Amino acid sequence: MICGTQVASITQAQLVNALAAGMKLEAYVWLDWDTGMQRQVGAALDIIEGFPVRRLWLDVEQNIGVFDQSDIIEKIYDAVEASGNMPCGIYTSVSKWRALTGNVRRFGYLPLWAAYYTDDDSIDNWGGPLGDWQQAQMRQHDGDAELCGVRVDKNVYRL
């Protein structure tokens, strides 16, 4: 189960329920280029503190705004650094990564969660290669699905 960290009370309720159901936990933080990375990542880490979260995914998809690609690359680096001892990875799509970073190869040592929406739910069909990534750790293949009356994103995870 991967929980967004946008609203603390919702995130923590989701984590409690997922843990009670025996799920493994991960979380993501949507990066806003206008806000300091230390502040955003620190807030996400505060929300998930005390839960056995295995990884914090850094969501790289906000439009570039007034920043240039080198600014965005530094902000991503700052977010990785702000993660500290929490393992982190990058969530993005091929088109967003290329537009935001110019397809930088600097972060290939981190796992990739790729958004690539097709009818095919194969982990190997993720839209890459991208940057230094030759494969994705996870792939989001449906961003508007319904499961038991709840809107969910469908993903496949490489074990």
Side-chain angles (χ1 to χ4, degrees), residues 3-159:
C3 299
T5 57
Q6 297 91 327
V7 180
S9 60
I10 293 172
T11 302
Q12 291 172 340
Q14 289 174 335
L15 291 169
V16 165
N17 291 334
L19 192 58
M23 296 180 183
K24 302 221 185 289
L25 306 177
E26 298 188 8
Y28 73 89
V29 56
W30 187 82
L31 299 179
D32 175 1
W33 311 130
D34 292 321
T35 305
M37 297 298 112
Q38 180 69 42
R39 180 173 164 217
Q40 290 178 74
V41 173
L45 293 172
D46 287 346
I47 290 168
I48 63 177
E49 186 175 354
F51 291 96
V53 172
R54 301 183 313 174
R55 182 172 314 281
L56 180 65
W57 294 94
L58 306 173
D59 188 335
V60 177
E61 62 181 325
Q62 180 189 354
N63 291 333
I64 205 163
V66 299
F67 302 98
D68 64 24
Q69 290 177 340
S70 63
D71 291 331
I72 299 299
I73 293 165
E74 284 307 307
K75 287 177 178 291
I76 296 167
Y77 179 78
D78 291 346
V80 171
E81 289 294 301
S83 297
N85 293 327
M86 171 61 72
C88 67
I90 302 291
Y91 169 87
T92 195
S93 67
V94 170
S95 62
K96 286 290 188 182
W97 188 257
R98 288 180 177 157
L100 292 168
T101 72
N103 203 28
V104 69
R105 301 171 67 91
R106 183 175 179 180
F107 300 97
Y109 64 96
L110 297 171
L112 173 67
W113 174 14
Y116 187 62
Y117 303 136
T118 66
D119 290 335
D120 173 13
D121 63 1
S122 166
I123 184 69
D124 293 320
N125 182 19
W126 60 275
L130 180 65
D132 268 351
W133 295 292
Q134 297 303 309
Q135 68 178 15
Q137 176 71 36
M138 186 168 29
R139 175 183 167 220
Q140 187 172 102
H141 59 88
D142 188 343
D144 194 27
E146 188 174 310
L147 180 64
C148 301
V150 176
R151 197 196 75 69
V152 299
D153 296 335
K154 288 186 177 180
N155 298 277
V156 59
Y157 204 108
R158 186 180 307 278
L159 297 177

